[in-house]
Amino acid sequence: MNTAVIPTEQAPQKVKSYGRLDRQIILILDFGSQYSELIARRIRETQVYSEVLSYRTTAEQLRELDPKGIILSGGPSSVYDNYAPHCDPEIWNLGIPILGVCYGMQLMVNQLGGEVLKADRGEYGKSSLYIDDPTDLLTNVEDGITMWMSHGDSVTKMPPGFELLAHTENTPCAAIADHTKKLYGVQFHPEVVHSLGGQALIRNFVYHICECEPTWTTAAFVEEAIREIRAKVGEKRVLLALSGGVDSSTLAFLMYKAIGDRLTCVFIDQGFMRKLEPERLLKLFKEQFHIPVEYVNARDRFLNALNGVTDPEEKRRRIGHEFIHEFEETSKRLGHFDYLAQGTLYPDVIESAGTNVDPQTGERVAVKIKSHHNVGGLPKDLRFKLVEPLRKLFKDEVRKVGRSIGLPEEIVQRHPFPGPGLAIRIIGEVTAERLNILRDADLIVRQEINQRGLYHDYWQTFAVLLPIKSVGVMGDQRTYAYPIVLRIVQSEDGMTADWARVPYDVLEAISNRIVNEVKGVNRVVYDITSKPPGTIEWE
């Protein structure tokens, strides 16, 4: 099912398709939007496979992949900028249905003879969409429904052959189409949850216009993934980095199902896990799942590696470096291994991709948010070959896969936990004292949320330790201690998130317990920042 992801900062040389389940695929050309992959996720919700490629992918390369449809993403540029990213103009002659979203629509208009100018008044946030043509793309989309706008430019003249589909109060051309050539453009973002009619529009494009069938299923993925693992690994041995989270656990089950005893799971205890989790992990896998796990206590090694380090990217780099070297030492002790299995997911790849300006052309592309230990911290002299069967999946898809192959709900529904663990939930230098403080505070947060039956109401629930101290009063004594930040968010896939409206009595209980039970903390604050503009993790 896998096709190669072409980084947006590199010109594509060759695009491959590896054993895709069928010929049904919708391709998204990325013009620098942080939501390009969210479009892919929305397509997959229709049970049709989708992937993101660079906007530089040529028409010939697209023809070779034979997609059922193409979507042009949004982006930060204006089409009339000197270095605005443009697609191969030959794509308009492929005879493949194309949907342009925001910048993608403006590019379509610009390249096909229309006009795009800076708007007198930009449009950002929720807008009511008034439908002029309720057929085709906008079938069953309610007139006046809310859509999400984010643009400073507008289409002032449609290309020849195009018709108006919809408008808003501030945007005369909010949706347009050339029905004959099956070219469509929308100025809004149907992929975001704020666009209430967005998924209906996407289904119209996928099913009605592109004539796809819903064949991208969990069972089909598992079958194909096992086949690909066996084909790639052959009779070789595989070392797997187990953390106990849904990603690595699903990976372990999938790999064990594919190659059996040729898989060796290794749990490197780097000292950045939450309280009591290492013990629980080992017991679960050995006693309940009967999958052998090699335990390695490397707490001192990792803590020493982070001595004096405050930069989050350097933390990730050093943790990734230590992981690999620890695995290499372990593999030498256990015997020869050719492959290292990692639970890298699509969002990991997304947030680690790209720079904001191409150094050769000056073109603006996707901005790098942060590197992930799975994709950004590996040394160049890595002697293992990587096997990453979950690399194209979103978190919700991984949960479905885990559930389908027998992973218990305790793990399937586990909140995401970063590979670097508590090391990136301690802002600044990581010390043994700070780790102990954060472990105790984090345990209280989880206990209070679990006891009230709220765990599954939230995407992530955790504590962050800030490297500052503030004055407090306890028992008529002056204190000078750390603050703990509570981070509780709701999300569908981790790509976007909103802070959770946690009941005040729950926040009060958490705060009271932390300041009373955790030595070294005298203040608790609540993070009410959404993603964007923030990220879910602080580092």
Side-chain angles (χ1 to χ4, degrees), residues 274 417 422 424-426 437-446 460-466 483-488 510 514 524-525 537-538:
R274 291 179 289 197
F417 188 68
L422 299 182
I424 59 168
R425 291 180 178 174
I426 295 173
I437 290 173
L438 184 56
R439 278 198 193 93
D440 289 341
D442 181 83
L443 180 62
I444 290 172
V445 175
R446 289 185 288 130
Q460 271 179 283
T461 303
F462 60 91
V464 176
L465 177 68
L466 300 187
I484 287 290
V485 178
L486 300 183
R487 185 64 163 149
I488 305 176
I510 292 172
I514 289 177
V524 176
V525 299
E537 298 288 348
W538 273 50

Side-chain angles (χ1 to χ4, degrees), residues 59-71:
E60 184 58 36
Q61 290 169 329
L62 291 170
R63 184 181 288 109
E64 290 176 4
L65 290 174
D66 191 26
K68 298 284 285 186
I70 298 170
I71 297 179

Side-chain angles (χ1 to χ4, degrees), residues 126-384:
K126 298 176 181 178
S127 293
S128 297
L129 185 73
Y130 301 105
I131 298 175
D132 300 286
D133 180 355
T135 63
D136 222 3
L137 188 68
L138 298 180
T139 301
N140 296 324
V141 176
E142 182 183 344
D143 188 35
I145 201 166
T146 297
M147 294 292 188
W148 188 262
M149 292 283 189
S150 181
H151 65 102
D153 297 333
S154 288
V155 173
T156 56
K157 178 185 175 183
M158 290 187 291
F162 276 76
E163 302 174 15
L164 181 66
L165 299 184
H167 66 279
T168 69
E169 188 174 321
N170 296 321
T171 303
C173 295
I176 61 175
D178 182 330
H179 293 290
T180 302
K181 295 183 178 180
K182 291 191 175 183
L183 304 178
Y184 302 85
V186 294
Q187 187 58 74
F188 49 89
H189 288 270
E191 70 273 21
V192 303
V193 295
H194 307 294
S195 290
L196 302 184
Q199 194 61 11
L201 183 152
I202 289 172
R203 284 197 298 268
N204 287 336
F205 182 72
V206 172
Y207 293 144
H208 177 58
I209 295 169
C210 298
E211 301 180 349
C212 292
E213 297 291 334
T215 57
W216 171 247
T217 64
T218 300
F221 168 80
V222 171
E223 179 184 344
E224 183 69 10
I226 289 174
R227 185 159 54 244
E228 288 187 353
I229 291 169
R230 289 171 177 168
K232 181 173 184 176
V233 172
E235 297 300 316
K236 307 291 186 182
R237 297 178 69 199
V238 180
L239 199 62
L240 187 148
L242 186 66
S243 70
V246 62
D247 303 339
S248 68
S249 297
T250 298
L251 178 64
F253 268 54
L254 189 63
M255 294 293 298
Y256 195 74
K257 196 176 182 69
I259 62 173
D261 292 339
R262 280 177 287 124
L263 171 71
T264 299
C265 294
V266 176
F267 172 53
I268 304 292
D269 186 354
Q270 87 286 54
F272 305 142
M273 295 285 283
R274 291 179 289 197
K275 198 164 188 175
L276 306 178
E277 284 198 332
E279 296 83 356
R280 176 60 180 158
L281 167 68
L282 293 172
K283 184 175 181 180
L284 206 60
F285 268 78
K286 286 185 177 180
E287 297 181 8
Q288 185 172 333
F289 304 155
H290 307 295
I291 297 178
V293 177
E294 184 75 17
Y295 174 78
V296 178
N297 186 339
R299 296 180 181 185
D300 292 340
R301 175 175 185 162
F302 279 83
L303 192 59
N304 290 336
L306 295 188
N307 184 37
V309 177
T310 59
D311 180 73
E313 288 298 290
E314 181 62 15
K315 286 183 187 177
R316 282 183 165 84
R317 190 194 69 78
R318 293 196 184 195
I319 290 172
H321 185 270
E322 292 303 319
F323 256 115
I324 293 302
H325 283 286
E326 190 65 59
F327 277 123
E328 288 180 336
E329 291 177 10
T330 301
S331 70
K332 291 176 183 177
R333 177 168 55 85
L334 298 176
H336 179 73
F337 292 87
D338 294 276
Y339 288 92
L340 173 65
Q342 287 202 129
T344 306
L345 303 190
Y346 216 179
D348 299 336
V349 178
I350 294 161
E351 292 193 346
S352 300
T355 55
N356 63 334
V357 178
D358 186 285
Q360 295 180 335
T361 67
E363 293 172 332
R364 296 180 69 184
V365 292
V367 178
K368 178 178 178 179
I369 305 300
K370 59 188 176 182
S371 65
H372 286 255
H373 76 289
N374 280 344
V375 291
L378 302 180
K380 294 181 179 179
D381 60 348
L382 178 67
R383 71 174 182 83
F384 296 109

